[in-house]
């Protein structure tokens, strides 16, 4: 009796298509299936037994729910406070790189922050050091970027200095200038922090995609030129004379420099300034030539020049020869180190500085988010713009508890250096802030003989990096014929120079937002034509041979969802399509199409419509119907169809007006034309 062949059963969904697999690995016999079935049965029995032990028992169920709730809470806390996730899991293998990055960035940050406070914000240098430490600690605990270094920035410090100067002009000679400057700085920092925290809380982090790069480039370039002019005055030793002449705008300061530099400049100050600038440039050039030698490439040239100039100044007595030095600086910035910022004195000046705080918060966030995204792309992780806003806001609010703290934001340059040197976690920022705090309380008295003109040189070196990409962007916009972007860049730049930085950025922000609104208000739609010999329809601007063989018929495909913004101009857009088709033609020209008698709306791309858009669309269809125009709606999805029914559009047009395809609607039109005598 012949043996019955064993039937093999395969499971193709576990195997790749067209793969060659031997029979022992790809096919399972009946015995193998039975064995697997027994294993699955045993597992099900164990699971059933486990569930049975808990069924009907109240206490274990409560414990399970409580454990689940605590697990969810822990996940939420780790999400909103990233330090709760990375600190417990920190790998000490990364500690060496983080410490080296923190030391490197702090050596560059200490002289920068002192320069920003004294030369740009015109307040105590201690405020710059505190701003480079306390906000950085708070951000390291709350921020999502691992390399972002948060500290004072040149542009925001300049805006703060202008706000302080405006407030000081309205007070008499008996005003305590130092105390008033600290109060205004605290008010601005507090408002900027609160605004950013609120924007992040309301999930408005998309603001970075609303404002164009051209606007940001024009703002940065304008700020760079303004700062350059501001720093040339102390570099030539003309600070005292400037206070007597009192030029206000950047143009007036340029004229002041042209008029008094040759005749009134302090020769020693000028020599020290440009000697320090040449040394910094030379050291940076040497470092770039020896990148393979890490001990040379990582030399902090700024710190070297600051220390060397301080020692030489003390030995040679430069302060006795007309060179302004930093002098004695108190570690405290007011009556006490910590002051509750929500008090009547701060609020008194808040309304005068609100516009400045808004500009600082937006400009600072844009700079920070660009730096954070660059490092996230390099090191392969993601960031959340909304949580970045919350972290930056909380950092500045925390800084406002110390009088005079400058607004602190992320820096593209410092963050890039942080990552290049070895910073892989937020620990690098904690190390950097710790070193800056150490310098504040221990090394600050040693900076008595530091020439202020050297601090101006440090800022000037930063300006070179701000201006580095401007020529490339200008040439790019010009070659691309992007006249709107080019005009926005130019407008921001010239307004910042001719008036002030705040006017330049505000006007450009308004124009940029208006451009966004203008573009979003135009419904994206195109005219369709029939492919010859078929019932298929394609955009006529893609193929000039498409047929337009139905007199008076207009087939329009709407390419996006309908909302109140893009539907408001739908009537005007459709009217232009009726008269001129897809061609861009001046309204004074004669119509290119004959009068429209049939309109077919292809709505396959419409997934949703809001109530205001449906109301406008209803009125539009009602007007067409009163003109005797036949209307059809095709490819309408279920969700918008239900809304059309609720809005009364279904009853207005009738069920026959809603067809599956454009071909169905055109067939009715052609049949109607044929039946006419």
């Amino acid at each position: 009796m012949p043996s019955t062949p064993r039937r093999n059963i395969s499971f193709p969904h576990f195997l790749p298509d067209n793969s060659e697999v031997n029979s022992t690995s790809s096919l399972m016999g009946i015995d193998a299936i039975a064995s697997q079935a027994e294993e699955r049965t045993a597992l099900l029995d164990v699971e059933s037994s486990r569930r049975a032990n808990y069924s009907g028992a109240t206490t274990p169920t409560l414990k399970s729910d409580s454990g689940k709730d605590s697990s969810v809470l822990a996940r939420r806390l780790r999400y909103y406070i990233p330090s709760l996730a990375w600190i417990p899991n920190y790998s000490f293998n990364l500690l060496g790189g983080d410490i080296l990055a923190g030391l490197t960035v702090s050596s560059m940050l200490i002289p920068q922050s002192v320069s920003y406070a004294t030369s740009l914000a015109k307040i105590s240098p201690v405020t710059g050091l505190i701003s480079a430490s306390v906000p950085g600690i708070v951000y390291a605990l709350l921020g999502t970027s691992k390399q972002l270094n948060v500290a004072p920035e040149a542009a925001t410090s300049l805006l703060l200095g202008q706000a302080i100067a405006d407030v000081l002009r309205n007070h008499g000679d008996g005003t305590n200038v130092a105390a008033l400057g600290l109060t205004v700085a605290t008010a601005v920092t507090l408002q900027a922090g609160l605004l950013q925290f609120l924007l992040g809380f309301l999930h408005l982090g998309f603001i970075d995609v609303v404002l164009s790069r051209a606007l940001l480039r024009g703002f940065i370039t304008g700020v760079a030129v303004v700062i350059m002019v501001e720093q040339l005055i102390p570099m030539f030793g003309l600070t005292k004379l400037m206070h007597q002449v009192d030029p206000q705008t950047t143009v007036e300061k340029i004229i002041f420099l042209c008029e008094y530099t040759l005749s009134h400049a302090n020769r020693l100050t000028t020599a020290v300034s440009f000697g320090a600038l040449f040394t910094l440039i030379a050291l940076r050039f040497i470092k770039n030539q020896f990148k393979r030698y890490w001990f040379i490439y990582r030399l902090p040239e700024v710190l070297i020049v600051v220390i060397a100039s301080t020692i030489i100044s003390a030995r040679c007595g430069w302060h006795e020869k007309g060179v302004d030095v930093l002098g004695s600086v108190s570690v405290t910035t007011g009556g006490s180190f910590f002051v509750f910022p929500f008090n009547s004195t701060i609020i008194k000046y808040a309304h005068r500085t609100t516009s400045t705080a808004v500009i600082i918060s937006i400009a600072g966030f844009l700079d920070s988010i660009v730096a954070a995204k660059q490092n996230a792309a390099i090191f392969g992780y993601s960031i959340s713009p909304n949580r970045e806003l919350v972290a930056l806001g909380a950092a500045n609010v925390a800084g406002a508890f110390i009088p005079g703290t400058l607004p602190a934001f992320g820096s593209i340059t410092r963050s890039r250096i942080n990552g290049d040197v070895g910073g892989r976690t937020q620990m690098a920022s904690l190390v950097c802030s710790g070193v800056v705090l150490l310098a504040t309380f221990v090394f600050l008295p040693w900076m008595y003989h530091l020439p202020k003109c050297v601090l101006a040189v440090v800022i000037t070196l930063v300006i070179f990096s701000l201006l580095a990409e401007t020529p490339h962007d200008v040439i790019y916009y010009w070659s691309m014929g992007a006249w709107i972007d080019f005009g926005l860049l130019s407008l921001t730049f010239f307004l910042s120079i001719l008036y002030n930085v705040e006017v330049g950025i505000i006007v450009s922000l308004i124009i940029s937002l208006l451009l966004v609104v203008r573009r979003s208000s135009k419904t994206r739609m195109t005219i369709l034509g029939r492919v010859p010999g078929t019932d298929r329809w394609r955009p006529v601007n893609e193929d000039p041979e498409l047929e337009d063989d139905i007199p008076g018929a207009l087939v329009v495909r709407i390419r996006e969802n309908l909302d109140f913004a893009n539907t408001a101009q739908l009537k005007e857009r459709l009217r232009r399509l009726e008269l001129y088709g897809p061609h861009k033609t001046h309204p004074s020209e004669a119509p290119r199409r004959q009068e429209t008698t049939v309109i077919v709306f292809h709505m396959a791309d419409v997934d949703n419509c809001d109530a205001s858009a449906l109301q406008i669309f209803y009125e539009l269809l009602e007007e067409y119907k009163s003109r005797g125009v036949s209307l059809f709606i095709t490819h309408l999805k279920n969700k918008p169809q239900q809304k059309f029914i609720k809005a009364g559009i279904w009853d207005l047009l009738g069920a026959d007006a809603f067809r599956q395809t454009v071909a169905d609607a055109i067939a009715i039109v052609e049949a109607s034309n044929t039946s006419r005598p």
Side-chain angles (χ1 to χ4, degrees):
M1 183 174 181
S3 60
T4 303
R6 175 174 289 180
R7 183 183 178 189
N8 291 329
I9 302 175
S10 63
F11 294 86
H13 55 285
F14 289 121
L15 298 173
D17 294 336
N18 302 323
S19 61
E20 295 181 359
V21 187
N22 60 50
S23 60
T24 59
S25 61
S26 64
L27 302 176
M28 292 185 293
I30 295 175
D31 294 337
I33 297 174
S35 176
Q36 287 191 356
E38 290 175 359
E39 292 178 2
R40 286 196 296 269
T41 303
L43 291 173
L44 289 173
D45 290 342
V46 172
E47 179 66 16
S48 299
S49 176
R50 186 183 68 81
R51 292 183 178 181
N53 291 335
Y54 286 103
S55 62
T58 305
T59 305
T61 302
L62 289 174
K63 288 183 179 179
S64 176
D65 292 342
S66 176
K68 182 179 179 181
D69 292 342
S70 63
S71 176
V72 171
L73 178 61
R75 286 199 304 272
R76 294 290 188 271
L77 286 175
R78 286 194 296 270
Y79 177 82
Y80 290 110
I81 307 177
S83 58
L84 296 179
W86 68 263
I87 289 179
N89 300 313
Y90 184 77
S91 173
F92 285 94
N93 294 329
L94 304 175
L95 185 60
D98 286 339
I99 290 177
L100 181 60
L103 292 173
T104 303
V105 175
S106 62
S107 65
M108 168 178 150
L109 184 58
I110 290 170
Q112 275 189 1
S113 57
V114 172
S115 301
Y116 294 158
T118 56
S119 301
L120 298 180
K122 303 295 192 301
I123 52 180
S124 170
V126 176
T127 60
L129 292 171
I130 296 298
S131 307
S133 53
V134 174
I137 294 173
V138 176
Y139 176 83
L141 300 177
L142 299 178
T144 59
S145 175
K146 299 177 182 180
Q147 283 78 31
L148 190 69
N149 181 265
V150 174
E153 283 290 280
T156 55
S157 299
L158 176 66
L159 289 168
L160 175 62
Q162 291 180 346
I164 293 174
D166 290 339
V167 173
L168 288 174
R169 288 193 196 100
N170 298 324
H171 287 75
D173 296 335
T175 304
N176 187 336
V177 175
L180 184 58
L182 297 178
T183 301
V184 174
T186 303
V188 171
T189 302
L190 179 64
Q191 290 181 94
L194 290 174
L195 178 61
Q196 286 193 316
F197 188 91
L198 184 62
L199 290 175
F201 184 78
L202 297 177
H203 294 271
L204 298 177
F206 63 86
I207 191 174
D208 66 306
V209 301
V210 175
L211 305 178
S212 68
R213 178 172 176 174
L215 182 149
L216 186 60
R217 178 56 56 197
F219 169 70
I220 291 174
T221 306
V223 166
V225 173
V226 171
I227 293 175
M228 177 72 78
V229 173
E230 293 272 356
Q231 301 317 301
L232 285 174
I233 294 173
M235 286 174 65
F236 286 113
L238 297 172
T239 304
K240 293 181 180 179
L241 182 61
M242 185 195 68
H243 291 318
Q244 297 174 8
V245 179
D246 196 23
Q248 299 297 321
T249 65
T250 302
V251 175
E252 292 177 352
K253 290 176 182 178
I254 293 174
I255 296 173
F256 168 81
L257 284 169
C258 294
E259 185 176 354
Y260 293 103
T261 298
L262 294 177
S263 59
H264 291 76
N266 184 289
R267 294 183 179 181
L268 179 57
T269 302
T270 304
V272 171
S273 300
F274 288 92
L277 182 61
F278 173 79
T279 305
L280 284 171
I281 295 174
L283 288 175
R284 183 163 293 186
F285 175 78
I286 294 172
K287 284 175 57 177
N288 290 331
Q289 299 302 313
F290 294 93
K291 287 185 177 180
R292 54 185 175 177
Y293 301 106
W294 65 268
F295 54 89
I296 295 179
Y297 182 65
R298 292 175 180 174
L299 284 174
E301 71 275 9
V302 174
L303 187 62
I304 291 174
V305 170
V306 167
I307 293 175
S309 61
T310 303
I311 295 174
I312 297 173
S313 174
R315 294 286 180 88
C316 299
W318 283 351
H319 65 288
E320 298 174 356
K321 300 176 183 179
V323 178
D324 290 336
V325 296
L326 191 62
S328 179
V329 179
S330 174
V331 175
T332 58
T333 58
S336 60
F337 193 76
F338 291 99
V339 174
F340 187 68
F342 298 93
N343 57 62
S344 58
T345 305
I346 301 298
I347 296 174
K348 174 183 177 182
Y349 294 99
H351 71 281
R352 301 187 189 181
T353 57
T354 300
S355 60
T356 301
V358 171
I359 300 303
I360 286 176
S361 62
I362 294 175
F365 171 66
L366 291 177
D367 206 10
S368 302
I369 200 66
V370 169
K373 286 182 176 180
Q374 285 181 354
N375 284 281
I378 293 172
F379 295 100
Y381 61 90
S382 61
I383 63 167
S384 168
N386 292 317
R387 285 191 290 161
E388 286 296 292
L389 275 169
V390 170
L392 290 170
N396 281 294
V397 170
F401 279 79
I402 302 174
T405 303
L406 280 66
F409 301 99
S411 163
I412 296 175
T413 304
R414 292 196 307 269
S415 301
R416 187 187 301 124
I417 293 173
N418 189 11
D420 290 343
V421 174
R424 294 296 177 266
T425 69
Q426 292 91 329
M427 181 64 73
S429 293
L430 293 177
V431 172
C432 176
S433 297
V435 173
V436 175
L437 281 176
L438 181 65
T440 304
F441 293 101
V442 177
F443 300 121
L444 190 59
W446 297 2
M447 301 172 69
Y448 180 95
H449 294 281
L450 173 61
K452 289 185 177 180
C453 61
V454 174
L455 295 177
V457 170
V458 171
I459 298 177
T460 303
L461 196 65
V462 176
I463 299 308
F464 292 158
S465 62
L466 293 179
L467 293 173
E469 295 183 11
T470 301
H472 172 271
D473 285 351
V474 171
I475 295 172
Y476 175 77
Y477 293 139
W478 185 274
S479 62
M480 292 293 294
W483 307 122
I484 293 179
D485 290 323
F486 184 81
L488 198 59
L489 185 154
S490 303
L491 181 66
T492 310
F493 172 76
F494 285 112
L495 286 177
S496 300
I497 300 299
L498 296 176
Y499 293 94
N500 58 54
V501 176
E502 189 172 334
V503 171
I505 192 65
I506 288 177
V507 173
S508 299
L509 277 173
I510 294 173
I511 294 175
S512 183
L513 292 174
L514 289 176
L515 289 173
V516 171
V517 172
R518 178 176 175 269
R519 289 165 184 165
S520 64
S521 66
K522 289 186 176 181
T523 310
R524 292 191 300 119
M525 54 188 179
T526 184
I527 297 178
L528 302 182
R530 181 157 50 188
V531 178
T534 69
D535 283 331
R536 293 186 295 110
W537 297 75
R538 294 177 54 195
V540 296
N541 55 1
E542 295 180 2
D543 188 351
E545 297 182 359
L546 295 178
E547 293 182 354
D548 188 12
D549 54 356
I550 305 173
L554 179 66
V555 182
V556 178
R557 181 167 186 170
I558 298 178
R559 309 302 298 264
E560 61 184 342
N561 294 334
L562 296 177
D563 54 45
F564 72 95
N566 62 22
T567 314
Q569 296 186 10
L570 187 59
K571 178 180 177 181
E572 290 77 10
R573 298 287 311 285
L574 282 171
R575 185 59 182 164
R576 287 188 63 84
L577 292 179
E578 287 183 64
L579 296 175
Y580 306 108
H583 308 288
K584 289 186 177 180
T585 308
H586 194 272
S588 62
E589 299 292 331
R592 295 190 176 190
R593 294 173 56 92
Q594 70 179 73
E595 186 176 356
T596 302
T597 57
V598 177
I599 297 181
V600 180
F601 292 98
H602 185 304
M603 306 190 77
D605 299 317
V606 179
D607 295 318
N608 198 8
C609 314
D610 65 22
S612 298
L614 288 172
Q615 191 175 22
I616 297 172
F617 196 54
Y618 180 95
E619 295 170 354
L620 177 66
L621 297 176
E622 192 175 37
E623 181 178 336
Y624 275 121
K625 192 173 181 181
S626 65
R627 284 171 44 192
V629 177
S630 300
L631 300 168
F632 294 92
I633 295 177
T634 67
H635 299 87
L636 189 63
K637 297 179 181 179
N638 182 59
K639 185 176 180 180
Q641 178 179 310
Q642 297 302 318
K643 292 192 174 184
F644 273 44
I645 294 173
K646 290 182 180 180
I649 296 176
W650 189 279
D651 294 333
L652 175 68
L653 302 182
D656 291 339
F658 293 84
R659 316 305 300 181
Q660 288 291 329
T661 65
V662 173
D664 293 343
I666 294 300
I668 295 175
V669 175
E670 291 176 330
S672 176
N673 292 341
T674 304
S675 63
R676 291 178 182 175

